[in-house]
Amino acid sequence: MTETILANATLVLPREVIRGALRMADGRISAIDHGATVPQGAVDCGGDLVMPGLIELHTDNLERHIQPRPRVHWPHQAAILAHDGELASVGITTVFDALRVGSVVSDGKANYGEYARALADEILELRSMGALKISHYLHLRAEVCSETLVAEMAKFGPQDRIGIVSLMDHTPGERQFRDISKLKDYVCGKHGLSDEGFADHVASQRALRERLGALHEETAVAEARRYGAVLASHDDTTAAQVAVSAGHGAHFAEFPTTAEAARACRDHGIRVMMGAPNLIRGGSHSGNVAAADLAEAGLLDILSSDYVPSSLLSAALLLGDLWGDMARGIATVTQGPAQATGLADRGRLAPGTRADVIRVARIGRGAALRGAALRGAWVQGARVA
């Protein structure tokens, strides 16, 4: 048995922060010792933070590697490996790769082709080969405003490591893009649509929601149960929408857009997840509620890096400073997401749990926070970064 000891470290435990040493053996945390003593053969962390590996529930990062520029398609296996390595390099040791299900196939200009099943197969194949550094699960983003959702979801099953199904309703003028001008900036910037093309997009999306929305919601909820996945809502805006999500059995809410929706989530026992970029930037790029406002109101439970992987660690440190409780801040990217998805074997430093551990040096604090330098990452006790 090979033992790794991270000593003289600032250990972030579930409810407190202590100076001590963490021992790892056989892929598990074997012991936690108090004090600054550095045993022979141990790594002297010099007071660096040692905490659980970060758990990412919703990231669009893989899409960026697969299509690094508009109309530029990268080989998938190379893209997956680059994505995996990037996440390891910023302290993420478990990821739920977000893949869209539900496409628009009747309009060639819509650019919503099916891809999830084939890409999932490639991720799972690389995992089975032992080629990935970190732990990968799948997160199926069920697009309500689509044509093929039912058929696409039927292609997946309980064997596919699907941990999350989220209900995505991108009806123009609703939820994330209540402000149509914000939607126009996003869609036209991403797909190069003209004013006329954007108007056609809005009309077609609204028509799809009217025609198939109810069926697609029902299908996504039922399929999540069949897979054994947890259900998440997305961009809830009103208390009424949160009540519907609660009725579906949502475990957590991705990016509620208003304080009203976040409070309703709390009333229904639904965990609230917000974007780390929102917190770091000081607000939402879509004009929705600021993550900091929800944090100050005690309405934020989980952070997601969304589209900037490196933001996850920095935002958790920022929350720790804001709350005056580093253990609580780090829990939003470790224990919180683990509990929301039923991963009982990780997300906290405790004997017997998976040795998914990271060592971090802080750069600045509070308003002067400049980030964090990853000094090491271990997955099941093996160093990956």
Side-chain angles (χ1 to χ4, degrees), residues 264-385:
C265 286
R266 182 56 49 84
D267 292 342
H268 284 283
I270 298 173
R271 292 179 173 90
V272 172
M273 183 172 85
M274 293 296 288
N278 180 323
L279 185 69
I280 290 172
R281 294 178 65 252
S284 163
H285 73 278
S286 301
N288 297 316
V289 69
D293 291 343
L294 295 188
E296 290 174 352
L299 296 173
L300 194 161
D301 305 299
I302 302 169
L303 286 173
S304 164
S305 69
D306 199 6
Y307 56 94
V308 184
S310 62
S311 68
L312 196 60
L313 177 57
S314 295
L317 295 172
L318 189 60
L319 275 183
D321 290 341
L322 186 153
W323 285 331
D325 185 342
M326 189 54 62
R328 182 184 174 194
I330 296 303
T332 64
V333 297
T334 55
Q335 191 170 16
Q339 290 175 340
T341 52
L343 295 178
D345 63 345
R346 69 196 76 187
R348 67 193 191 283
L349 299 186
T353 60
R354 277 174 58 115
D356 291 359
V357 176
I358 61 174
R359 175 188 171 190
V360 174
R362 296 199 62 174
I363 304 174
R365 293 177 181 272
L369 180 68
R370 295 293 178 266
L374 188 83
R375 295 285 178 82
W378 293 260
V379 173
Q380 296 191 86
R383 189 161 187 170
V384 297

Side-chain angles (χ1 to χ4, degrees), residues 24 26 35-36 52 70 87 89 122 138 152 231 253 268 341-342:
M24 298 180 280
D26 279 348
L87 297 190
S89 77
E122 291 175 298
L138 301 183
E152 288 192 42
L231 189 73
H268 284 283
T341 52

Side-chain angles (χ1 to χ4, degrees), residues 4-274:
T4 300
I5 306 172
L6 304 179
N8 189 24
T10 303
L11 302 178
V12 183
L13 303 180
R15 298 184 183 278
E16 62 179 338
V17 177
I18 67 168
R19 183 60 65 95
L22 180 85
R23 296 174 181 264
M24 298 180 280
D26 279 348
R28 298 280 166 174
I29 296 173
S30 55
I32 292 174
D33 304 325
H34 287 67
T37 302
V38 181
Q40 185 175 1
V43 177
D44 184 350
C45 293
D48 284 348
L49 292 166
V50 169
M51 64 184 74
L54 312 185
I55 300 173
E56 174 55 67
L57 301 188
H58 177 124
T59 174
D60 301 331
N61 190 58
L62 180 54
E63 294 180 1
R64 178 173 63 83
H65 283 281
I66 287 173
Q67 191 174 16
R69 288 188 178 181
R71 294 180 294 280
V72 174
H73 300 281
W74 208 252
H76 283 185
Q77 287 200 345
I80 295 165
L81 291 170
H83 161 67
D84 173 71
E86 181 181 0
L87 297 190
S89 77
V90 296
I92 295 170
T93 56
T94 297
V95 62
F96 290 74
D97 292 313
L99 307 178
R100 171 182 52 78
V101 284
S103 306
V104 175
V105 295
S106 63
D107 180 0
K109 297 179 181 179
N111 196 31
Y112 291 132
E114 179 180 353
Y115 75 97
R117 178 68 266 181
L119 186 57
D121 287 340
E122 291 175 298
I123 294 170
L124 295 172
E125 180 183 14
L126 286 171
R127 177 182 176 274
S128 69
M129 294 166 55
L132 301 176
K133 294 182 175 183
I134 71 173
S135 181
H136 287 254
Y137 292 86
L138 301 183
H139 171 169
L140 298 186
R141 304 169 70 247
E143 292 286 354
V144 170
C145 294
S146 66
E147 297 171 333
T148 65
L149 181 66
V150 175
E152 288 192 42
M153 295 196 81
K155 297 178 182 179
F156 290 88
Q159 74 282 359
D160 288 314
R161 288 177 66 85
I162 301 168
I164 303 168
V165 171
S166 56
L167 284 167
M168 299 279 172
D169 184 353
H170 288 120
T171 305
E174 301 286 341
R175 298 178 182 262
Q176 180 183 5
F177 290 113
R178 286 180 297 163
D179 184 341
I180 290 289
S181 68
K182 295 286 187 181
L183 176 64
K184 184 175 183 180
D185 290 343
Y186 175 78
V187 172
C188 292
K190 185 173 183 179
H191 300 296
L193 295 181
S194 64
D195 288 348
E196 181 181 358
F198 176 70
D200 289 343
H201 169 77
V202 169
S204 65
Q205 289 293 98
R206 287 175 171 169
L208 281 174
R209 182 66 177 87
E210 179 67 24
R211 180 164 59 93
L212 295 171
L215 171 64
H216 286 174
E217 280 194 31
E218 179 183 348
T219 297
V221 172
E223 291 289 59
R225 294 194 188 106
R226 182 171 70 88
Y227 305 151
V230 302
L231 189 73
S233 65
H234 189 78
D235 293 339
D236 284 339
T237 300
T238 66
Q241 289 173 344
V242 172
V244 172
S245 298
H248 288 324
H251 284 224
F252 66 97
E254 297 187 321
F255 321 127
T257 66
T258 64
E260 173 194 346
R263 285 192 295 270
C265 286
R266 182 56 49 84
D267 292 342
H268 284 283
I270 298 173
R271 292 179 173 90
V272 172
M273 183 172 85
M274 293 296 288

